[in-house]
Amino acid sequence: MIPTCLGDLVLKVRSKNAGPFWVTIDVFCDRRDVFDRLVSQLSTQRVAALYQVAPDQLKRFDIPDLRVIKFSLPRPVVQGSAHDRDMHGAQYAALLEEMTL
């Protein structure tokens, strides 16, 4: 099997603020078979390792009716602080989008 980037399979990967202490990443699938594949292949532990957070700090929500997988994780620094390099949380999506399956 040829490795595939997650972004090549899905309709959209989006990340955004979920308050000053959290970021949310949404994976939108346009087909049910893609959603089912990601639910089984995209482990919470692997996503936690990608974002360098403990697996118990990563919240995961699989929403089959919408074909969406949502992850929420604590920001490494508070939004808007002097060390914040992504105030809107928009760059988190790119890491997940480039992950190979």
Side-chain angles (χ1 to χ4, degrees):
M1 178 182 259
I2 298 171
T4 304
C5 287
L6 184 140
D8 293 337
L9 292 175
V10 302
L11 184 64
K12 177 108 175 129
V13 180
R14 175 185 69 185
S15 60
K16 61 187 185 288
N17 283 329
F21 306 107
W22 288 83
V23 170
T24 294
I25 304 152
D26 302 316
V27 180
F28 298 93
C29 303
D30 57 347
R31 297 191 337 252
R32 182 61 187 235
D33 63 313
V34 172
F35 174 81
D36 292 340
R37 176 180 174 185
L38 290 181
V39 167
S40 66
Q41 289 185 354
L42 187 61
S43 74
T44 302
Q45 292 79 9
R46 188 166 176 210
V47 175
L50 178 69
Y51 291 105
Q52 300 177 1
V53 298
D56 64 338
Q57 290 185 314
L58 182 73
K59 297 178 182 184
R60 178 183 177 143
F61 307 92
D62 297 335
I63 309 167
D65 290 343
L66 300 176
R67 295 184 305 270
V68 171
I69 301 172
K70 178 182 286 281
F71 297 98
S72 292
L73 60 137
R75 293 177 68 97
V77 297
V78 176
Q79 177 194 14
S81 69
H83 299 289
D84 186 8
R85 296 181 56 159
D86 183 8
M87 194 154 155
H88 300 288
Q91 296 177 33
Y92 287 79
L95 284 174
L96 191 59
E97 202 170 38
E98 295 174 357
M99 177 186 276
T100 56
L101 299 172

